[in-house]
Amino acid sequence: MHSDCIFCKIATNEFDTEFLYESDEIVAFRDLNPKAPVHVLIIPKRHIEKISDTNESDALLLGKMINAANIIAEKENINDSGFRLVFNCGKDGGQEVYHIHLHLLGGRSLTWPPG
Ligand code: AMP
């Protein structure tokens, strides 16, 4: 828990955030400024700054985050229409919050490549 990290505070439910998914290691909640009709952030409870800070020992956790995204996509009825999973990493990756989060985006046709 990093006291100055907004996502650590969300993970410990300091703001009474509605969780779409929760396990002992992971929580998921809606993005405050959604870029698509469905925009959910899946985060580990453990503070990890950047996806580039992870290694093989985090493989199970990262796999569980993808599994959580699949479960949420099904609940949000975007399994058939499709969706996108994104980790932004560092300055050029457009990362704003330095606690890793997997974006789940869907509910509209997404363009490629991203801006
Ligand atoms: P990134 O640019 O990948 O770091 O994405 C950070 C995301 O977190 C953005 O889409 C923000 O809209 C979202 N965000 C920032 N603060 C909050 C918050 N308090 N609750 C929910 N989403 C947030």
Side-chain angles (χ1 to χ4, degrees):
M1 165 79 184
H2 283 216
S3 55
D4 56 349
C5 171
I6 187 84
F7 283 4
C8 279
K9 289 181 181 170
I10 288 175
T12 53
N13 215 359
E14 208 167 294
F15 309 119
D16 232 9
T17 305
E18 185 200 349
F19 293 148
L20 281 74
Y21 175 94
E22 182 171 17
S23 70
D24 52 341
E25 292 176 285
I26 292 165
V27 296
F29 51 92
R30 293 196 194 279
D31 196 290
L32 197 60
N33 181 16
K35 318 300 188 286
V38 176
H39 189 174
V40 177
L41 302 176
I42 296 122
I43 71 168
K45 291 182 175 175
R46 175 159 62 93
H47 185 84
I48 304 170
E49 272 193 17
K50 292 185 294 186
I51 201 68
S52 56
D53 292 334
T54 63
N55 58 41
E56 199 173 347
S57 70
D58 301 304
L60 186 57
L61 173 68
L62 296 170
K64 287 178 179 179
M65 290 171 71
I66 293 174
N67 186 54
N70 274 335
I71 291 167
I72 297 161
E74 179 149 22
K75 280 191 197 158
E76 295 287 313
N77 283 314
I78 56 169
N79 252 352
D80 290 343
S81 50
F83 54 85
R84 186 172 293 165
L85 299 179
V86 177
F87 281 109
N88 292 326
C89 182
K91 184 168 65 67
D92 281 0
Q95 186 174 1
E96 288 171 7
V97 178
Y98 281 79
H99 176 133
I100 63 166
H101 46 280
L102 179 59
H103 293 261
L104 165 63
L105 296 144
R108 69 172 171 84
S109 183
L110 300 161
T111 57
W112 190 263

